[in-house]
Amino acid sequence: MSKKVALVLGSGGARGYAHIGVIEELQARGYEIGCIAGCSMGAVVGGIFAAGKLREYREWTESLDYLDVLRLLDVSFRLGAIRGERVFGRIQEIVGEVDIENLDIPFTAVATDLTNQQEIWFQEGCLHQAMRASAAIPSLFTPVIQGKRMLVDGGLLNPLPIVPVVSSHCDLIIAVNLNATNQNHYQLPVIERPAALKGRIDQLMTSLGSRLPSFRRKNEDETLLLAEEQRLADDISPAAAPSRKDDQEQATPKSASGSRVAEFSGPASLLELVNQSFEVMQTSLAQYKIAGYPPDILINVPKRACRFFEFYKAPELIMLGRQIARDTLDKYESERG
């Protein structure tokens, strides 16, 4: 059976942790990853794997609790809700200083150049900068300025970058789509977590979204950021907030008979609205990419698995990615006899 694969890792926010599970399943089955192309979180996971640091990255992400995630959110009020220096600074510590052309595995990170309105492929130069540019999710992370170019998430134009690996000398192309809409039988594995802390994450993202359109002077930004961080430090405790279930019970209106009345559930903030719109666009674009260059194996991770910013769900998403990869590969291998 053919074993050398070209791996395509798509964009999808926190769902990108599923890529780790997919890679682990491929390796467990003896597949050799001959080259990687990635976009957004796909570029981050793919780049870290190509640098030989995936185990360290997984250990770090799985160690993050809600408070750790909050501490990584360096709030910004200019061109994005989060600067990303803390998150990508930690990634840089894990990976080190390395250029793409010196990796053992050929690697391509895809970003979008807003200035020239075109797709950019990073196939040489600083790996860290390439990953940071590819994962600059609009409205969430601030863009990367490179000369006269403003670089953001590659998913804006190409959420599933199959084309960079089409000419590779691999036996199979395996693509991981994080924006699938037809995988209803897969559920995110359940890991118990303190409800109060989860509530604080949701409240913070809502707060960031409500302030996103505001433009303030630098000193005002810093004052607001310090106040926000202090409030979070004071509030985060087991009794700090009601559970999400309690919140929903209180917020859901009742009819005269006492039964719950269904109501429209839309984005809770401008940030969530922008990112839901971004994900709808990515879902459509991914289908065009798959139709234009069908991979030999398509691993579909359901878009509803989690929201784009739920980066504290690494253990669950890694397990989900491995489960879906296992089922998909089982089917492919059985059909091949």
Side-chain angles (χ1 to χ4, degrees):
M1 179 183 295
S2 299
K3 289 287 186 178
K4 190 172 184 178
V5 304
L7 185 60
V8 181
L9 303 178
S11 65
R15 291 189 299 279
Y17 286 135
H19 291 317
I20 299 175
V22 172
I23 290 173
E24 290 178 347
E25 184 63 24
L26 287 171
Q27 291 185 305
R29 289 172 178 257
Y31 288 90
E32 176 191 354
I33 298 176
C35 67
I36 300 175
C39 175
S40 194
M41 271 292 284
V44 172
V45 173
I48 292 172
F49 173 75
K53 300 293 184 180
L54 191 61
R55 179 181 61 81
E56 292 87 342
Y57 177 69
R58 174 177 179 164
E59 291 174 353
W60 173 60
T61 58
E62 289 190 322
S63 72
L64 297 176
D65 60 20
Y66 298 106
L67 184 55
D68 294 324
V69 172
L70 287 175
R71 288 170 175 160
L72 289 170
L73 302 183
D74 44 359
V75 181
S76 170
F77 296 97
R78 294 184 178 86
L79 301 180
I82 301 168
R83 286 191 292 271
E85 294 174 4
R86 296 177 187 173
V87 174
F88 286 97
R90 182 68 184 98
I91 291 174
Q92 188 171 27
E93 290 176 8
I94 294 172
V95 175
E97 296 291 339
V98 59
D99 289 332
I100 296 173
E101 59 266 32
N102 295 327
L103 297 171
D104 292 334
I105 301 174
F107 172 71
T108 303
V110 176
T112 299
D113 177 2
L114 287 182
T115 305
N116 297 299
Q117 301 181 17
Q118 63 184 11
E119 185 176 320
I120 300 294
W121 293 3
F122 286 94
Q123 296 179 319
E124 60 182 19
C126 177
L127 173 63
H128 177 262
Q129 187 176 42
M131 293 189 297
R132 174 65 179 86
S134 181
I137 303 171
S139 81
L140 182 61
F141 288 109
T142 54
V144 171
I145 307 300
Q146 191 180 77
K148 295 182 179 180
R149 301 190 302 186
M150 177 178 287
L151 304 178
V152 298
D153 195 310
L156 198 63
L157 292 177
N158 193 353
L160 196 63
I162 300 173
V163 175
V165 304
V166 168
S167 61
S168 68
H169 299 290
C170 293
D171 302 307
L172 297 171
I173 295 177
I174 298 179
V176 186
N177 174 27
L178 301 180
N179 294 286
T181 58
N182 59 344
Q183 302 295 303
N184 295 328
H185 60 290
Y186 285 109
Q187 299 293 331
L188 194 67
V190 176
I191 295 179
E192 292 298 327
R193 300 176 185 275
L197 293 178
K198 181 179 185 300
R200 298 305 300 136
I201 289 277
D202 293 334
Q203 290 176 32
L204 175 62
M205 297 310 294
T206 298
S207 175
L208 292 176
S210 66
R211 294 171 180 170
L212 190 60
S214 301
F215 294 91
R216 300 178 175 88
R217 295 187 303 275
K218 182 178 179 181
N219 61 334
E220 292 177 334
D221 292 348
E222 292 173 347
T223 300
L224 284 167
L225 174 56
L226 290 172
E228 181 73 15
E229 290 180 340
Q230 183 59 53
R231 183 178 67 80
L232 290 170
D234 292 341
D235 288 352
I236 294 175
S237 66
S243 69
R244 297 286 292 175
K245 181 178 180 181
D246 291 340
D247 288 341
Q248 292 166 357
E249 289 289 321
Q250 293 172 8
T252 304
K254 294 182 179 180
S255 67
S257 62
S259 60
R260 297 292 173 183
V261 177
E263 60 179 14
F264 171 75
S265 178
S269 66
L270 176 59
L271 179 62
E272 193 164 355
L273 172 63
V274 171
N275 279 278
Q276 283 188 15
S277 303
F278 184 55
E279 288 199 329
V280 169
M281 179 190 68
Q282 286 187 111
T283 300
S284 179
L285 283 174
Q287 295 306 311
Y288 280 110
K289 299 300 180 182
I290 293 167
Y293 295 91
D296 297 291
I297 302 174
L298 179 62
I299 298 174
N300 279 314
V301 177
K303 182 170 65 173
R304 57 165 185 76
C306 75
R307 288 179 291 177
F308 76 97
F309 59 77
E310 293 181 319
F311 289 98
Y312 48 86
K313 290 187 175 181
E316 295 96 328
L317 288 160
I318 292 171
M319 290 173 60
L320 179 65
R322 185 151 192 175
Q323 177 188 356
I324 297 174
R326 183 183 303 117
D327 293 345
T328 304
L329 293 170
D330 281 347
K331 181 180 179 181
Y332 173 81
E333 292 171 2
S334 66
E335 291 174 349
R336 293 285 169 168

